[in-house]
Amino acid sequence: MSRWTPDPSFYPSPREAATAPAEKLAYVAAFDRTAQRPDAIAVLDTDPDSGSYGQVVGWTELPHTGDELHHFGWNACSSALCPTAPHPHVERRYLIVPGLRSSRVHVIDTQPDPRQPRVVKVIAPEELAKRAGYSRPHTVHCGPDGIYLSALGGVDGEEGPGGIAVLDHATFEVRGAWEADRGPQFLAYDFWWHYNHDVLVTSEWGTPSMIEDGIVGELLLGRRYGHAIHFWDLAKRRHVQRVDLGDQYQMPLELRPAHDPTKTYGFVGVVISVEDLSASIWLWHRDGDAWAVTKVIDIPAEPADPADLPDLLKPFGAVPPLVTDIDLSVDDRFLHVSCWGTGELLRYDVTDPFHPVRVGSVRLGGIVARTPHPGFPDEPLSGGPQMVEVSRDGRRVYVSNSLYGSWDDQFYPDGVGAWLAKLDVDPETGGLTPDPRFFPRGEDFRGLRVHQTRLQGGDASSDSYCFP
């Protein structure tokens, strides 16, 4: 749907986006691990002046079972204000919600009542396969010329290659595969871009069979999961360069480029090193005429009694941090790092991206620690900070606790539960404090697990900008 004037939630620059009003609602992907009930989008009240603050105030069930909602995104965002955007008057209205297991893609309308979104279209797996050649859709980003959707698998049960499909802004029809020449790229996961520089970056996880039933120890120790990132010519849709981090660094997942469109650097989180179970954060950057990647943060594993560990970790006698998500504040100053294994959210000042400085930490859950929320000290928590989302003004951080159904079951075999916490940022120190009033959990989500959060009006990982 088009507007006569640009959507007021769009901002030409990250500097202006950081002045945006606070979100009043959050949309959360909730899924049924048993695939017996429909997954849903839960709507949370994030207005501290509201009588229902911190509560689930809306619930939209999907029409099928077995989707396993994972990542999702907006149909349009601030990139619509780029000078080359062919759709400057689209509005941020629809959530594009893929099912990672079903390969269905749901289009959910958040208007006219943002608390009661409605499913208005379902893209069948057959359409995604026929038009783009992909299955297992994963990540959604709103581009200036279409909706970009990454996928892990190929068609007809093929393992790959994974890649990117493009959807039409107005009709949500699948236009086709984005890649004109993929070069050596086969594994897929996340993607982002430096739009003003005609650069797209992709990362790697694994094919569907490598991830759908849990992490495969033989593949991990055999260094078979992804361990490279790829750089592409965005305008020509052609692969330019593969940069290997080293096969000991397994699963470089989430990509977070600088929001400042004049910059050409960004961060990628690596889940685990098979040499010492550590996790790490790497910086991609220009090195002359080529791209390079430099490790800038190491996060060590924590020793633990094997009796306290799940079977997968007993031989190692340690808890790996398992960095499964990262998020960069809109002003590019702070990087947030989820350590799902140890149950810690770390916050770094990355004003100098080559030399991050740790400025904050909060512990919730963890494989061994089970650290409770300070507002509910008698409730040990399973899971840990996993998906992390930062408000546009950088003052609020939201974390949810489920990674992926089968992986939850491996690392938290006694149950991962469901919870979502909000952390307030100290403007003086940059430290983080859990909000005691905001902690929906358990039956608040009707027995479903919760994964990604999207904030009304946009957030730190939803928009890209074309003006500094």
Side-chain angles (χ1 to χ4, degrees), residues 27 38 112 126 187 235 248 276 302 323 372 403 414-415 417 426 454 458 464:
Y27 298 95
E126 294 79 12
L187 300 178
Q248 69 269 39
D276 59 9
E302 298 180 356
V323 166
L403 172 57
D414 56 340
D426 186 318
R454 284 286 176 215
S464 50

Side-chain angles (χ1 to χ4, degrees), residues 8-58:
S9 75
F10 295 172
Y11 293 87
S13 72
R15 172 177 46 82
E16 292 171 272
T19 68
E23 64 283 350
K24 296 297 181 70
L25 297 172
Y27 298 95
V28 183
F31 71 95
D32 177 30
R33 171 65 177 124
T34 69
Q36 300 300 305
R37 299 166 51 201
D39 296 351
I41 293 294
V43 186
L44 292 178
D45 187 335
T46 61
D47 180 359
D49 295 326
S50 167
S52 55
Y53 176 60
Q55 298 177 23
V56 176
V57 293

Side-chain angles (χ1 to χ4, degrees), residues 31 101 160 175 185 187 198 206 240 247 253 256 258-259 287 302 306 322 327 329 368 382:
F31 71 95
R101 287 187 181 268
R175 289 184 188 164
Q185 181 267 329
L187 300 178
D198 276 332
V240 172
D247 63 10
L253 297 186
R256 297 292 180 260
H259 295 88
D287 184 13
E302 298 180 356
L322 300 177
D327 206 11
S329 61
V368 171
S382 294

Side-chain angles (χ1 to χ4, degrees), residues 28-160:
V28 183
F31 71 95
D32 177 30
R33 171 65 177 124
T34 69
Q36 300 300 305
R37 299 166 51 201
D39 296 351
I41 293 294
V43 186
L44 292 178
D45 187 335
T46 61
D47 180 359
D49 295 326
S50 167
S52 55
Y53 176 60
Q55 298 177 23
V56 176
V57 293
W59 189 266
T60 302
E61 284 194 350
L62 300 192
H64 302 94
T65 59
D67 288 302
E68 186 140 352
L69 298 189
H70 199 66
H71 292 194
F72 65 106
W74 290 104
N75 66 301
C77 56
S78 298
S79 63
L81 301 181
C82 290
T84 56
H87 305 284
H89 295 293
V90 292
E91 60 179 329
R92 191 195 309 266
R93 173 170 178 167
Y94 299 93
L95 293 169
I96 311 301
V97 185
L100 184 54
R101 287 187 181 268
S102 70
S103 294
R104 286 184 286 260
V105 181
H106 309 82
V107 180
I108 298 180
D109 191 352
T110 64
Q111 299 297 332
D113 182 357
R115 294 185 174 215
Q116 298 296 329
R118 299 171 295 116
V119 178
V120 294
K121 182 182 178 74
V122 179
I123 301 171
E126 294 79 12
E127 181 180 352
L128 182 62
K130 179 181 178 181
R131 302 293 297 274
Y134 292 130
S135 64
R136 306 304 185 90
H138 186 272
T139 294
V140 177
H141 287 311
C142 35
D145 57 338
I147 302 166
Y148 287 62
L149 172 67
S150 73
L152 303 184
V155 298
D156 300 325
E158 294 293 327
E159 284 286 273

